[in-house]
Amino acid sequence: MTVLDMFRLDGQVALVTGVGRGLGQAMAVALAEAGADIAGLYNTRYQDTQTQIETLGRQFLPIQADLQQAGPDELNKVVEQVVDQFDRLDILVNNAGIILRSPAMEYPADDWNAVLNVNLNAAFYLSQAAARVMQGQGKGKIIQIASLLSFQGGIFVPAYAAAKSGLAGLTKALANEWAPLGINVNAIAPGYIATDNTAALQADATRNAAILGRIPVGRWGQPEDLKGLTLYLASSASDYMHGSIINIDGGWLGR
Ligand code: NAP
């Protein structure tokens, strides 16, 4: 097998959460460009991504779930729907996420629970359900979308920092248990990427200048900047990679 063949995903199936926009959309398209069919978990939108995937000649299965509310049973059913449709599940990308800001002393309990549910609890339950299928296949790839706040604390985002730091710990914990089963669990920690999630920061001239001034490459990332690393972690090219949290941040963490 040549090195380029190692990156092919023909005949494989990926479940991507938060598939309708931003990073989830770019990662789903990357996996489809490499040959995978896509099951896309969404809350409010998926149509644009469906069009892009089907234009590539790949299949797209939309699955609706509100990850603020969904518990282990509903998320197990999500994975069952994927297997019912495609007979397999090779790749899980836990990408859906929210960030809610308040000073820590006044941080609302509802916001804390919402952020932890979407960013951490759902990722764990979906990983559990996916791993049971992957164990039967003898192979699988799980990619968690972490953050710079898996390494740093941020300001006014205690729930997000806790969730993303928890996701980094979970990545290592699951890798330790599941590497012997042929399941790779790794995480991508994106830096500042231009999406809806960061629209307020981009629009704030002072914050925008401060952010750009600290990024060595001097620009915001684009969702497409994550495509290569996503494909690497989803493909057999990364078969010896377990429990890594890889930052892709224009140099931010190196400063
Ligand atoms: P985004 O454009 O705001 O998209 C968020 C995604 O999460 C949407 O697809 C949304 O689904 C989904 N989502 C939110 N709440 C949900 C819920 N209750 N149930 C199901 N899905 C829900 O954000 P993004 O920038 O692409 O972020 C994607 C991931 O990357 C997040 O985990 C984020 O923390 C992480 N990240 C982003 C950056 C950045 O700079 N952008 C940096 C580091 C990490 P719908 O569209 O269907 O509503």
Side-chain angles (χ1 to χ4, degrees):
M1 189 187 283
T2 72
V3 69
L4 290 180
D5 290 333
M6 295 171 84
F7 286 83
R8 296 289 329 169
L9 300 178
D10 301 295
Q12 297 196 29
V13 174
L15 170 59
V16 180
T17 71
V19 78
R21 54 188 161 129
L23 306 188
Q25 180 176 71
M27 293 189 287
V29 169
L31 299 176
E33 285 173 346
D37 293 320
I38 306 295
L41 188 150
Y42 71 98
N43 188 30
T44 61
R45 66 180 89 174
Y46 66 90
Q47 291 83 352
D48 183 40
T49 304
Q50 175 163 31
T51 302
Q52 291 190 41
I53 303 288
E54 290 180 350
T55 301
L56 291 165
R58 304 267 61 84
Q59 293 183 61
F60 182 85
L61 173 70
I63 302 175
Q64 202 280 332
D66 178 356
L67 299 181
Q68 280 194 38
Q69 310 295 336
D73 292 344
E74 183 177 346
L75 295 176
N76 197 47
K77 288 200 180 87
V78 167
V79 169
E80 281 175 7
Q81 280 183 69
V82 179
V83 175
D84 283 349
Q85 172 80 14
F86 295 110
D87 284 329
R88 57 187 304 111
L89 175 58
D90 303 282
I91 300 153
L92 167 66
V93 183
N94 280 312
N95 161 76
I98 55 172
I99 186 163
L100 299 174
R101 294 181 172 79
S102 290
M105 257 187 241
E106 291 111 51
Y107 204 85
D110 285 351
D111 287 7
W112 175 270
N113 289 329
V115 171
L116 268 289
N117 280 344
V118 177
N119 296 24
L120 183 60
N121 295 340
F124 176 56
Y125 298 136
L126 282 170
S127 296
Q128 273 188 318
R132 293 185 193 116
V133 176
M134 292 169 177
Q135 178 180 27
Q137 296 171 178
K139 199 166 170 51
K141 302 278 180 177
I142 298 177
I143 303 170
Q144 317 288 9
I145 302 307
S147 165
L148 295 177
L149 296 198
S150 301
F151 306 100
Q152 302 177 301
I155 299 172
F156 300 148
V157 286
Y160 188 83
K164 293 298 189 179
S165 297
L167 203 51
L170 182 66
T171 299
K172 290 177 262 191
L174 298 183
N176 292 340
E177 283 195 48
W178 297 346
L181 308 177
I183 302 171
N184 300 74
V185 188
N186 293 289
I188 297 174
Y192 284 83
I193 316 290
T195 66
D196 292 350
N197 180 299
T198 53
L201 292 177
Q202 295 168 68
D204 179 330
T206 308
R207 290 296 308 278
N208 191 44
I211 288 166
L212 285 177
R214 196 193 186 285
I215 301 175
V217 75
R219 69 167 175 85
W220 283 77
Q222 296 300 320
E224 290 69 27
D225 286 317
L226 267 63
K227 289 173 78 172
L229 179 55
T230 304
L231 179 54
Y232 169 67
L233 292 177
S235 69
S236 63
S238 62
D239 278 354
Y240 197 63
M241 179 79 83
H242 293 276
S244 291
I245 297 110
I246 308 173
N247 51 305
I248 178 163
D249 61 2
W252 174 281
L253 273 188
R255 287 198 62 176

